[in-house]
Amino acid sequence: MLKHRRALAWVLAFACIAGAIVALFDIETPLRPFLISLFLLFVPGAAVVGLLRDRDPLAALSVGAAASLVLNVLLAEAMLLFNAWSPRAGVATVAVLGGFMYVLRVLYRGKSMQTEQGARAR
């Protein structure tokens, strides 16, 4: 079961990377709408779920899905408000924000691992 989850995670990761590449380099393919949508919906949600890993799994997934939709809607609204609509910029912004949340997750995990080790030593 764990192997299947890990394989699914890798497939989703590669599909999201492909979606970002397709959008940023304007590659025409029949899978373009699916890959870009997958990227825009999955990346922010996965980043938020990674930050909430210690919480109830269903609650973390719900918050991740909501955060993903909110981030995409706010980004689209901001681009329309400032008359700066650009699908490439939208994908790049989502990628940067997802990367930033990943860095926060790594820093948070490193800090919690150090405090756990310090607590065990006592």
Side-chain angles (χ1 to χ4, degrees):
M1 184 72 160
L2 184 61
K3 289 182 182 181
H4 295 298
R5 281 189 188 175
R6 192 166 294 209
L8 179 63
W10 279 106
V11 167
L12 283 173
F14 285 127
C16 287
I17 291 169
I21 290 171
V22 163
L24 292 174
F25 294 109
D26 201 22
I27 299 170
E28 291 298 325
T29 178
L31 294 174
R32 180 184 173 103
F34 173 73
L35 292 174
I36 294 173
S37 298
L38 187 69
F39 173 80
L40 289 174
L41 293 175
F42 184 73
V43 168
V48 169
V49 168
L51 290 172
L52 301 173
R53 188 173 266 180
D54 295 337
R55 308 294 191 266
D56 176 41
L58 183 60
L61 286 175
S62 299
V63 170
S68 182
L69 291 174
V70 166
L71 179 91
N72 284 303
V73 168
L74 287 176
L75 178 61
E77 286 288 329
M79 286 194 295
L80 288 173
L81 180 67
F82 294 113
N83 200 20
W85 182 257
S86 170
R88 287 182 181 171
V91 169
T93 303
V94 169
V96 167
L97 289 173
F100 177 71
M101 285 189 273
Y102 179 75
V103 168
L104 285 177
R105 175 184 167 194
V106 169
L107 292 175
Y108 173 72
R109 292 289 169 204
K111 185 177 181 180
S112 68
M113 293 295 269
Q114 290 173 356
T115 57
E116 284 178 13
Q117 289 175 354
R120 287 183 188 159
R122 292 181 197 170

